[in-house]
Amino acid sequence: MLEGINTVGDLEWEVPIGYVPNMRVPGRFFLSRALAETLEEGAVRQLANVATLPGIVKYSLAMPDIHWGYGFPIGGVAAFDRTEGVISPGGVGFDINCGVRLITTPLTEADLAGKKRELIERLFSAVPTGVGGKSAMRVSNKDLSRVMVDGARWAVERGLGTAADLVRCEEEGAMPGADPGAVSAKARQRGVPQIGTLGAGNHFLEVQVAREIVDPEAARVFGISEGQVCFMVHCGSRGLGHQIATDYIRTLEGALGKYRIEIPDRQLACAPLDSPEGRAYFGGMVCAANYAWANRQVIMHEARKVFAELFEIDYEEMRLVYDVAHNVAKFEQHEVDGAAQEVCVHRKGATRAFGPGVPGIPREYAAVGQPVIIPGSMGTSSFLLHGTTAAMQKTFGSTCHGAGRVLSRSKAKKEVHGKELRERLAEEGILVRAHSDLALAEEAPEVYKPSREVVRVVHEAGLSGIVARLEPLGVIKG
């Protein structure tokens, strides 16, 4: 472990005030000693830098998938006072509302026998992938404004899903506060052709099987059983979200002097929550978040159609368990120093993990807490968990979002050969489809922390409880 960091518990560590100048609160992160070997000094410094921002409440936090990012570390969580605090694009990320949804099917692995390769090929054909992937949907600029306000509901109203899907999405698939007028023409231009596309990088559509049920009661409530075939969609707001982030980083950098905000890193550019610049960024960010929910809804619809046609099952038999956002800033009520307080929670590569009985989760899940979905890394296990009361107390109802990188994409390309990786995964029974071997190399399992260990940390730290482990059968990459 790095010098100057204090132990709070077996899995909890504190970065004390003074680790970098002008910290207002300590930093806290959750990590096992095994994962500590992957901890970057730069990520810890970023965690401490976040603690210098005006209006930050309690702690600057990071989950066990912590690694270096833009401004905030990935895996970072920070809450800001409604009146004194700021909003920062670096605390949300470029892929606004990159998130993941899990869908169950009535199939077992045996039902896929002899059809798995055809399934993967059909899914690859149905869902556009890659950096330049464009949708077959024709969406006008006026339609785009509705997407940015209505989110997943826009898709459902066009027959691309069911009303039950909306209930099982964080924020029911659309955050309030969208301001289409805060979205630039360039961002709109990038967003129009990409609804229903997967994109590139770590985004995927994965067919999985539930191998292990750890919490039978929560599994029953979530509707998942051992041996059941599922599929998972992981993507975000595509070029629209990236452009909105780019536009407002520039705007908020220019506003620092106006509000006399001093920051240790320009990547932490921010503005007061109640300033014109802060309100404009929030309104644009919500537009991108809602676009992402619509995007995942359309992808799920196309995947459902493939399963229905190939296996002759009903569309409604493929049930959305939940959809969670990873990169977003939201106004939430949390207990701070014994009193309820409205704060703006930034989650950057972190998942909301609201516990049992907390408002904002589906009524059917109230007894066990919201579903938490933590994907693995192409070839490793993914996990379904549930939120906890401890997360509400320790991390503003937050947990990790994935395994966390240990190798950059450029290093991965040098050290991993995509063709060999594809063949190795095939030997393990995992079929992979991607546009290029380089895309595979960037996302090889070995460039990430082990998902089992990351999930063990949040489970034992009480930030979320493991419900089920899922193993990949086939993966579509951008």
Side-chain angles (χ1 to χ4, degrees):
M1 189 57 66
L2 298 171
E3 187 177 345
I5 295 174
N6 302 323
T7 304
V8 177
D10 289 342
L11 300 169
E12 192 171 349
W13 310 80
E14 181 165 293
V15 182
I17 291 176
Y19 189 86
V20 302
N22 304 317
M23 289 174 67
R24 300 168 190 263
V25 297
R28 285 277 177 101
F29 61 92
F30 298 83
L31 207 65
S32 65
R33 294 189 180 275
L35 290 174
E37 297 177 8
T38 67
L39 184 63
E40 306 155 303
E41 194 278 335
V44 175
R45 184 164 293 274
Q46 286 185 322
L47 181 69
N49 287 343
V50 171
T52 71
L53 294 178
I56 189 168
V57 175
K58 264 175 113 172
Y59 301 107
S60 171
L61 295 158
M63 303 300 114
D65 50 349
I66 178 175
H67 57 288
W68 185 88
Y70 183 94
F72 279 55
I74 297 169
V77 176
F80 294 88
D81 179 82
R82 186 69 178 82
T83 55
E84 302 294 329
V86 295
I87 190 167
S88 172
V92 172
F94 283 92
D95 191 2
I96 297 167
N97 188 6
C98 180
V100 62
R101 58 175 54 190
L102 175 66
I103 303 94
T104 60
T105 79
L107 305 171
T108 66
E109 190 175 1
D111 294 321
L112 271 56
K115 291 186 176 182
K116 187 163 73 170
R117 185 170 296 280
E118 183 180 0
L119 171 63
I120 298 303
E121 290 297 330
R122 285 199 190 191
L123 290 171
F124 189 72
S125 297
V127 180
T129 60
V131 175
K134 292 185 178 180
S135 173
M137 298 180 70
R138 293 293 172 260
V139 178
S140 68
N141 209 18
K142 184 178 179 181
D143 288 333
L144 182 64
S145 293
R146 296 312 315 165
V147 172
M148 293 190 292
V149 173
D150 293 342
R153 185 174 300 279
W154 174 88
V156 170
E157 288 176 349
R158 282 154 183 77
L160 310 177
T162 69
D165 295 337
L166 301 178
V167 177
R168 298 185 188 120
C169 286
E170 187 173 333
E171 299 293 338
E172 297 192 354
M175 280 176 65
D179 180 5
V183 179
S184 69
K186 186 173 182 180
R188 284 174 168 271
Q189 184 180 27
R190 295 182 69 180
V192 163
Q194 293 187 331
I195 297 174
T197 67
L198 199 61
N202 64 349
H203 295 170
F204 63 77
L205 169 57
E206 184 168 283
V207 179
Q208 304 167 333
V209 60
R211 286 285 187 221
E212 181 183 7
I213 301 299
V214 177
D215 184 335
E217 176 55 21
R220 183 192 64 77
V221 171
F222 292 162
I224 192 167
S225 57
E226 190 166 350
Q228 189 171 24
V229 170
C230 310
F231 65 95
M232 192 176 281
V233 178
H234 179 216
C235 64
S237 50
R238 305 289 280 111
L240 178 96
H242 196 284
Q243 190 62 49
I244 289 170
T246 301
D247 292 341
Y248 279 99
I249 286 169
R250 194 174 302 122
T251 298
L252 270 59
E253 280 181 348
L256 290 168
K258 176 180 177 181
Y259 298 108
R260 299 180 181 178
I261 298 173
E262 295 183 6
I263 53 176
D265 180 354
R266 297 289 290 186
Q267 293 182 358
L268 292 174
C270 57
L273 282 161
D274 201 24
S275 67
E277 296 86 353
R279 289 194 299 269
Y281 168 66
F282 182 80
M285 180 210 68
V286 173
C287 285
N290 293 345
Y291 178 101
W293 273 306
N295 188 36
R296 291 196 289 274
Q297 182 70 33
V298 173
I299 291 171
M300 179 181 72
H301 170 73
E302 294 299 329
R304 277 172 164 167
K305 286 201 304 182
V306 168
F307 273 92
E309 291 168 5
L310 184 57
F311 297 100
E312 298 182 345
I313 56 178
D314 290 338
Y315 185 98
E316 289 78 12
E317 289 184 277
M318 289 165 279
R319 179 182 180 275
L320 174 61
V321 177
Y322 206 55
D323 177 300
V324 294
H326 293 157
N327 293 356
V328 74
K330 297 166 70 175
F331 290 102
E332 298 173 355
Q333 288 281 339
H334 287 278
E335 188 174 298
V336 179
D337 298 327
Q341 182 176 339
E342 186 181 42
V343 291
C344 183
V345 182
H346 292 56
R347 295 187 180 95
K348 199 261 190 80
T351 306
R352 195 184 73 170
F354 279 8
V358 176
I361 62 177
R363 185 179 303 171
E364 61 188 317
Y365 299 152
V368 294
Q370 78 160 75
V372 171
I373 306 161
I374 300 180
S377 49
M378 189 175 58
T380 63
S381 295
S382 295
F383 292 84
L384 174 63
L385 305 91
H386 66 86
T388 64
T389 301
M392 304 304 297
Q393 298 166 345
K394 291 184 175 183
T395 60
F396 300 99
S398 308
T399 189
C400 66
H401 88 305
R405 294 188 76 94
V406 293
L407 277 184
S408 68
R409 287 186 167 85
S410 58
K411 286 184 178 178
K413 288 179 195 175
K414 293 176 183 177
E415 297 187 16
V416 181
H417 298 286
K419 182 175 181 292
E420 293 175 4
L421 173 62
R422 189 197 309 271
E423 292 170 351
R424 169 162 47 99
L425 291 173
E427 289 175 1
E428 296 172 11
I430 304 167
L431 301 181
V432 180
R433 191 72 165 84
H435 275 298
S436 73
D437 287 339
L438 280 178
L440 289 182
E442 289 179 2
E443 299 301 321
E446 53 264 43
V447 309
Y448 286 88
K449 299 176 185 180
S451 59
R452 285 175 185 255
E453 181 65 6
V454 170
V455 169
R456 182 187 74 82
V457 172
V458 294
H459 177 81
E460 294 191 7
L463 305 184
S464 40
I466 300 172
V467 176
R469 181 175 63 82
L470 304 108
E471 287 189 357
L473 300 174
V475 189
I476 293 167
K477 298 293 294 185

